Amino acid sequence: MVLPSFVVLWALTAWLLQSPLLPTPVSVLDTLVRESASGELWHHLGATLARVVVAFVLAMAIGTAIGIVMGRSQTTNALFDPLLVLLLNLPALVTIILMYVWFGLVEVAAVMAVVINKVPNVAVTVREGARSLDYRLEEMATVYEFTRWQRLREVWVPQLFPYLMAATRGGLALIWKIVLVVELLGRSSGVGFQLHMAFQVFDVAAILAYSLAFIAVVQLIELAILQPLERRSSRWRQPEAAHA
């Protein structure tokens, strides 16, 4: 009920104001259909999603490795924790600007800016999971002479899975936003670029159309992938909850 009520309120307000700065839902939908029919919408959405996927995979892989090492080694944690804190507090805008200044307005710089901003968040989350690994399972793995691969697959990953899911959900929420800023500042494709172009001519209908398309894609990923994975990650808690 909330969403339909919001659309009705939006339509009434736009009708009363009669201003190009607040187009009606019908006008935004018309822009969305026109951009979709021309292929522009799909081109720019695809460019943004490609950057998100590449940056996400790299950030999760690097951040997970760093987090596990820091969580399992007090010496490594003591050495690298100050750097981690520094990166956590470094504004994303600063990183983006530095990457573009140092490497130019190229795709590698754009992806690196996103990865650098995301890695510390993943590392901190996974580090907490690595610290909480059950030592009894470690001892069992030693007794049964598990290989490194078996230890990772059978002992670490199941225990780290909830932390990896937390890093995944938080990571995607952060990466979406940073990718748009990266595109707005220095790319010639993507949703962020289109938002910048629409802003130049105060085309509010185009800004809302591309924003809604982007939100729809994010919501689809949330419902189709992240929520089912999150339910799987917490499935082991259900028997315990049932007996409580």
Side-chain angles (χ1 to χ4, degrees):
M1 286 296 294
V2 175
L3 188 58
S5 300
F6 173 76
V7 174
V8 171
L9 178 62
W10 170 13
L12 288 174
T13 306
W15 178 74
L16 289 172
L17 294 178
Q18 293 292 312
S19 169
L21 298 181
L22 183 61
T24 64
V26 174
S27 177
V28 173
L29 181 61
D30 180 64
T31 301
L32 187 62
V33 171
R34 187 173 65 251
E35 292 292 308
S36 176
S38 69
E40 286 292 301
L41 177 66
W42 307 114
H43 168 69
H44 293 290
L45 269 178
T48 296
L49 287 174
R51 294 183 183 111
V52 167
V53 169
V54 173
F56 174 76
V57 171
L58 289 174
M60 286 298 297
I62 297 170
T64 298
I66 292 173
I68 290 176
V69 172
M70 292 182 69
R72 302 300 291 170
S73 170
Q74 292 184 358
T75 302
T76 303
N77 183 66
L79 287 173
F80 289 95
D81 186 65
L83 177 60
L84 205 60
V85 172
L86 173 65
L87 292 175
L88 282 170
N89 290 282
L90 184 67
L93 185 60
V94 173
T95 307
I96 295 168
I97 292 173
L98 286 176
M99 291 299 103
Y100 279 150
V101 168
W102 288 341
F103 299 102
L105 300 177
V106 296
E107 197 69 28
V108 173
V111 173
M112 283 177 60
V114 181
V115 171
I116 290 172
N117 276 283
K118 175 54 191 164
V119 163
N121 299 83
V122 178
V124 167
T125 303
V126 176
R127 179 179 63 180
E128 297 308 309
R131 285 173 173 173
S132 65
L133 293 177
D134 193 335
Y135 74 92
R136 292 170 297 183
L137 294 177
E138 290 283 340
E139 292 175 350
M140 180 199 71
T142 301
V143 169
Y144 284 96
E145 298 181 349
F146 278 20
T147 63
R148 288 185 180 273
W149 170 245
Q150 288 175 314
R151 191 182 294 264
L152 175 65
R153 185 185 62 188
E154 305 294 341
V155 178
W156 290 4
V157 170
Q159 295 181 80
L160 289 174
F161 196 69
Y163 295 92
L164 292 172
M165 278 306 306
T168 296
R169 296 195 69 175
L172 276 177
L174 180 64
I175 284 176
W176 292 125
K177 300 176 179 68
I178 298 175
V179 165
L180 291 188
V181 177
V182 164
E183 293 174 342
L184 188 146
L185 291 177
R187 304 309 303 137
S188 58
S189 63
V191 174
F193 169 75
Q194 284 298 94
L195 293 177
H196 176 65
M197 297 299 292
F199 167 72
Q200 296 296 316
V201 294
F202 292 93
D203 188 350
V204 180
I207 292 173
L208 292 175
Y210 273 91
S211 298
L212 289 175
F214 185 71
I215 291 170
V217 171
V218 173
Q219 191 65 23
L220 179 63
I221 293 174
E222 170 76 17
L223 294 174
I225 300 175
L226 296 184
Q227 288 189 8
L229 282 175
E230 186 176 39
R231 286 194 293 269
R232 180 180 176 183
S233 72
S234 59
R235 188 181 301 168
W236 64 275
R237 300 175 184 267
Q238 294 175 1
E240 180 179 322
H243 289 88

